[in-house]
Amino acid sequence: MTPELQDLFAFLSFPSVSTDSNHKSDVRDCANWIVGKLSAAGMDTQLHETPGNPIVVARNAHKADRKTVLIYGHYDVQPVDPLNLWDSPPFAPEIRNGKIWARGSTDNKGQMLAHILGVEKTLAEKGELPVNIILLFEGEEEIGSPNLAPFLEKHKAELACDIIAISDTGMVAPNTGTLGYGLRGIACCEVKITGPARDLHSGIFGGAVANPATAVARLVSSLHLPDGTVAIEGFYDDVRPLEPWEREMWAKVPGVSDEDYLKVTGSPATFGEPGYNSAERVFARPTAEVNGIGGGYQGEGSKTVIPAEAFVKFSFRLVPDQDPKTILQQVKAHLEKHCPPGVKLEIEIGHDGKPYACDPHSDFGKAAQRALKRTFPGEPMLIREGGSIPIVQAFRDILGVDTLLLGLALADAQIHSPNENFPIENFEAGIRLNQALLEELAADAS
Ligand code: BES
Ligand code: ZN
């Protein structure tokens, strides 16, 4: 095994699950491993405590006449459940069919480590980087980065930079350079419906009181029109329409046709807002999703009860220029209006992050495209991303800097799912991409 893969295996073996407080010390151990790695590469490295998980910042010796590039990544991962569907243990990485199988292999440890190793390699080969670099790694991205924006505010001066680069997004098809110039935002909330003081016999009491599970179902069905349009009042008010050049460009992007979405999802049909194809819906239109729903008897056979409570977890994917706080207000008003009588509605507001879009044809955007062209065959593909990285718009709001998204995640990487994987060739390409990127950003005349 190459030393690079050995590093990746070590990094992947930490169960750094940020959603689960049982993994607090694993998350910290993982952060300390990164500190060790960066210090050994000769970077000036600090571990910063936050009210949550640590933030790691590293830099080379900065010089006044060079561009400053900030590279961001996250070392936390999503939970592994359902564990029984994994073909190999999620934190014991394995190589099969040219891919590394482990939780975090693509999202985001493999992509993040590729940047670190690119920097390390350039330093070993040339003794110097072409730019001033700041590496910023957090352990709370998967829970909405609650402590990173305050950290940016506090350390604004030390984090001043010209451009930010992240590899934590998609690559449209294998070996295809992909520059993301947008991300969807997100807004989450959870609804709890309570009814009777305890589960009731549905024969003795059915008909006399409202059923919380039915109320949840009514709320869920009130969110969309039958054709897939979101039915919340005002939801589309601030949506920036798709540009004709984007539609034209995306029609030529490999890997994102309706057929591709059918194949990779395993769904029997595509479905969504009328008037748009799958890629347009994902890249540039907002959605309302149910992420979890429950209430009542879940065991074998039937149990005739009216459950005392039921719940649903919602998230809304947002596009420029929707504001998550405004959307959550509209959602709240909608739920209050549509909640059927006879039950009590509680809404718990969750985390949120703003949507983001920038100009892929800016000088830095062009530099990123040159780096992608040096690393992958053909012209780079320019897309907006359906996923969210909540801190990216905060980078612009607080540091005043745009972000280049150089994604290496394939559609079948199974991020957030069992059997997450990352091709070795993407890992190796990521290392070369970092080296090319820093050179091109340094060369850029802006
Ligand atoms: N790396 C993903 C985001 C992503 C993946 C963007 C693929 C584009 C393509 C990131 O780690 C992620 O999962 N973000 C969460 C954010 C949320 C938990 C606040 C998301 O999008 O669900
Ligand atoms: Zn993720």
Side-chain angles (χ1 to χ4, degrees):
M1 204 189 290
T2 62
E4 290 81 9
L5 278 170
Q6 278 173 12
D7 277 341
L8 182 54
F9 271 45
F11 192 19
L12 289 170
S13 63
F14 295 97
S16 50
V17 182
S18 52
T19 47
D20 186 345
S21 53
N22 291 320
H23 284 295
K24 268 249 146 327
S25 66
D26 299 317
V27 172
R28 177 166 296 274
D29 291 348
C30 190
N32 280 320
W33 183 86
I34 300 162
V35 171
K37 180 77 203 150
L38 293 169
S39 306
M43 312 280 288
D44 173 12
T45 310
Q46 270 123 26
L47 181 135
H48 294 266
E49 295 296 345
T50 76
N53 298 329
I55 291 170
V56 178
V57 180
R59 59 181 68 229
N60 58 350
H62 285 197
K63 294 182 183 162
D65 59 346
R66 293 191 304 202
K67 301 259 168 46
T68 302
V69 179
L70 187 151
I71 291 174
Y72 160 89
H74 65 94
Y75 64 87
D76 64 320
V77 299
Q78 287 267 332
V80 298
D81 60 287
L83 187 57
N84 62 317
L85 295 184
W86 286 78
D87 294 332
S88 52
F91 298 110
E94 263 186 26
I95 293 174
R96 298 191 302 274
N97 305 326
K99 296 174 175 191
I100 304 133
W101 300 80
R103 168 60 85 233
S105 52
T106 284
D107 184 9
N108 174 228
K109 289 174 175 172
Q111 300 189 71
M112 174 185 145
L113 185 63
H115 278 290
I116 296 178
L117 295 175
V119 166
E120 190 186 71
K121 201 158 173 223
T122 303
L123 284 172
E125 285 169 2
K126 307 210 162 135
E128 181 63 293
L129 294 176
V131 296
N132 300 329
I133 203 148
I134 303 171
L135 300 172
L136 171 67
F137 301 127
E138 70 154 323
E140 297 188 317
E141 193 272 348
E142 300 290 7
I143 52 172
S145 304
N147 293 298
L148 188 51
F151 182 85
L152 298 182
E153 295 278 9
K154 197 167 152 204
H155 297 270
K156 218 165 143 169
E158 301 123 81
L159 297 174
C161 57
D162 298 298
I163 188 72
I164 296 170
I166 303 180
S167 294
D168 190 25
T169 51
M171 170 184 269
V172 290
N175 213 15
T176 308
T178 306
L179 177 65
Y181 63 96
L183 290 158
R184 285 199 286 191
I186 190 164
C188 301
C189 71
E190 187 166 343
V191 165
K192 188 170 152 196
I193 300 269
T194 50
R198 65 200 73 85
D199 286 5
L200 300 175
H201 189 292
S202 64
I204 298 174
F205 297 103
V209 295
N211 183 320
T214 307
V216 160
R218 292 185 75 95
L219 282 181
V220 168
S221 66
S222 76
L223 278 189
H224 295 91
L225 301 180
D227 70 3
T229 310
V230 176
I232 298 166
E233 213 179 304
F235 188 73
Y236 292 101
D237 283 359
D238 298 324
V239 171
R240 202 190 292 176
L242 255 131
E243 300 280 349
W245 65 266
E246 296 184 291
R247 298 187 100 159
E248 221 170 280
M249 181 172 73
W250 293 342
K252 298 186 200 114
V253 173
V256 299
S257 68
D258 286 2
E259 294 70 43
D260 291 313
Y261 276 96
L262 267 187
K263 208 162 92 195
V264 78
T265 60
S267 289
T270 60
F271 177 75
E273 197 189 349
Y276 301 93
N277 64 32
S278 301
E280 292 164 352
R281 288 169 181 156
V282 171
F283 296 170
R285 300 296 298 172
T287 61
E289 302 289 353
V290 172
N291 301 130
I293 186 165
Y297 182 61
Q298 311 281 323
E300 195 181 333
S302 57
K303 179 174 184 240
T304 49
V305 287
I306 295 172
E309 58 181 55
F311 74 89
V312 55
K313 290 171 189 274
F314 292 120
S315 65
F316 300 84
R317 293 284 169 172
L318 311 177
V319 299
D321 298 304
Q322 289 177 299
D323 173 57
K325 304 273 190 262
T326 309
I327 293 293
L328 285 170
Q329 284 313 310
Q330 291 168 350
V331 168
K332 194 162 172 274
H334 177 96
L335 295 172
E336 280 162 359
K337 184 169 157 198
H338 287 84
C339 185
V343 294
K344 198 170 138 229
L345 169 71
E346 286 167 59
I347 303 168
E348 195 186 319
I349 300 295
H351 63 75
D352 64 57
K354 289 183 187 169
Y356 176 76
C358 68
D359 174 12
H361 305 298
S362 66
D363 287 333
F364 284 126
K366 284 186 199 143
Q369 290 185 50
R370 290 196 299 274
L372 288 162
K373 238 171 125 162
R374 282 173 56 182
T375 314
F376 301 102
E379 286 297 316
M381 296 294 139
L382 311 185
I383 62 164
R384 290 205 248 155
E385 289 287 356
S388 307
I389 305 176
I391 205 62
V392 171
Q393 180 59 36
F395 281 142
R396 181 190 272 158
D397 291 342
I398 299 168
L399 303 180
V401 179
D402 271 330
T403 297
L404 305 164
L405 302 161
L406 298 116
L408 302 169
L410 292 175
D412 64 358
Q414 286 160 221
I415 66 176
H416 296 202
S417 272
N419 299 319
E420 181 174 349
N421 62 85
F422 191 44
I424 294 174
E425 68 169 18
N426 285 32
F427 180 51
E428 289 172 346
I431 298 171
R432 294 195 305 275
L433 178 60
N434 168 274
Q435 298 189 279
L437 180 68
L438 298 189
E439 283 178 17
E440 294 298 339
L441 291 174
D444 160 45
S446 72

